[in-house]
């Protein structure tokens, strides 16, 4: 005996209402910290004793605070919020390699670096040069004589940051045209900030004299740079010429 349509509908149980769980609203994103503090880590291994000086962007400590974490076994880890890791030998403080967080260097080509001090400059100055190629492993930091010994010319660099050691004032950041827009300048400045901290020099900063390209680049700078960036006080023409303007005039992404 067949059931009528009404009887059939009555026999089929209604679908159960979905069980919804009450959850709190999504939390507001944490404010971005402008503090950059420095952690010293011990790197254990079979070779010579090595340390890491790690720049960390977080509110865990005040800006510029040096924190000794060598009593802890880091096991290759770094504090949350790290930006740059300068690994060096304990015996002579020679830099073994430098690593930059992926958020900064994700679009950047593999690079190695040369650290130059300008002994003939009237005001003590330093430069960090970026190179591509297989002469040294990516992340290596070498001296100018090592660059020459490897058959590489200083003019082969793809980017450079130059600054005054005592004040930290950045004079020039430049990147070869073909490599612009790939994070080379941001990586260079981040590595330079790690090296200057290891050397005990003043934090890098700008003085407000900027080209349009430089001003646009600094607008996207990491939050940890904010306390060291002066408001734009002078507009300088964009120039790539050898004798072009300085004073952070050639800041190029």
């Amino acid at each position: 005996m067949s059931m009528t349509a009404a009887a059939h509908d009555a026999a089929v149980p209604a679908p159960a209402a979905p069980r919804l769980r009450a959850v709190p609203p999504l939390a507001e994103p944490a404010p971005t910290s402008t503090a950059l503090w420095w952690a010293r880590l011990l790197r254990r291994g079979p070779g010579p004793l090595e340390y890491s000086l790690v720049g960390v962007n977080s509110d865990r400590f005040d800006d510029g605070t040096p924190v000794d974490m060598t009593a802890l076994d880091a096991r290759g880890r770094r504090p949350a919020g790290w930006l740059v890791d300068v690994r060096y030998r304990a015996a002579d403080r020679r830099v073994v390699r430098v690593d930059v967080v992926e958020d900064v260097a994700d679009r950047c080509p593999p690079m190695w670096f040369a650290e130059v001090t300008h002994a003939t400059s009237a005001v003590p100055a330093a430069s960090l040069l970026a190179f591509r190629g297989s002469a040294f492993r990516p992340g290596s930091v070498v001296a100018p004589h090592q660059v020459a010994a490897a058959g590489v010319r200083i003019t082969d660099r793809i980017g450079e940051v130059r600054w005054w050691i005592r004040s930290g004032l950045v004079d020039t950041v430049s990147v070869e045209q073909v490599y612009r827009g790939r994070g080379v300048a941001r990586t260079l400045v981040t590595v330079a900030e790690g090296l200057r901290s290891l050397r005990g020099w003043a934090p890098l900063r700008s003085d407000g004299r900027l080209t349009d390209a430089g001003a646009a680049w600094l607008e996207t700078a990491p939050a940890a740079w904010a306390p060291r960036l002066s408001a734009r006080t002078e507009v300088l023409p964009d120039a790539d010429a050898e004798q072009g303007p300085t004073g952070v005039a050639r800041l190029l992404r």
Side-chain angles (χ1 to χ4, degrees):
M1 180 176 179
S2 62
M3 295 176 24
T4 65
H8 179 271
D9 290 343
V12 177
R19 294 186 178 182
L20 302 179
R21 183 174 60 181
V23 296
L26 293 175
E28 293 292 328
T32 303
S33 171
T34 60
L36 182 65
W37 52 275
W38 298 91
R40 185 171 180 254
L41 307 178
L42 175 63
R43 294 306 187 188
R44 305 179 187 277
L49 184 63
E50 295 178 354
Y51 292 101
S52 274
L53 183 64
V54 182
V56 186
N57 176 210
S58 80
D59 285 329
R60 187 175 178 183
F61 297 98
D62 292 338
D63 185 64
T65 302
V67 181
D68 189 351
M69 295 184 172
T70 55
L72 305 174
D73 187 356
R75 299 182 182 274
R77 296 170 296 181
R78 306 175 178 100
W82 77 279
L83 294 180
V84 57
D85 179 345
V86 182
R87 187 162 178 163
Y88 64 97
R89 296 193 312 199
D92 56 7
R93 298 180 72 84
R94 179 178 176 181
V95 176
V96 176
R97 64 169 292 110
V98 178
D99 292 303
V100 175
V101 69
E102 186 176 353
D103 288 349
V104 172
D106 60 340
R107 295 179 297 128
C108 192
M111 301 186 301
W112 53 270
F113 308 93
E115 186 180 13
V116 182
T117 55
H118 302 283
T120 59
S121 175
V123 180
S127 289
L128 185 68
L129 315 178
F131 296 84
R132 291 204 64 185
S134 58
F136 297 94
R137 292 182 178 180
S140 298
V141 179
V142 301
H145 72 273
Q146 293 174 286
V147 176
V152 179
R153 298 173 299 176
I154 292 296
T155 54
D156 291 335
R157 64 187 182 277
I158 67 171
E160 176 182 359
V161 54
R162 176 182 170 126
W163 71 99
W164 311 118
I165 291 173
R166 292 174 182 168
S167 66
L169 181 63
V170 175
D171 176 59
T172 300
V173 180
S174 60
V175 176
E176 292 298 318
Q177 180 73 42
V178 69
Y179 291 104
R180 294 176 191 172
R182 299 178 62 181
V184 172
R186 180 177 294 197
T187 302
L188 255 175
V189 174
T190 303
V191 173
E193 178 67 12
L195 291 175
R196 77 86 201 154
S197 182
L198 179 66
R199 306 302 184 213
W201 299 336
L204 301 185
R205 63 183 182 88
S206 73
D207 67 352
R209 295 180 294 155
L210 298 168
T211 63
D212 288 338
W217 180 64
L218 289 179
E219 286 180 358
T220 64
W225 296 8
R228 302 171 181 85
L229 303 180
S230 299
R232 193 176 189 182
T233 58
E234 183 179 347
V235 178
L236 295 175
D238 289 309
D240 295 322
E242 188 68 24
Q243 300 301 321
T246 59
V248 204
R250 287 173 287 183
L251 283 169
L252 302 168
R253 227 183 304 190

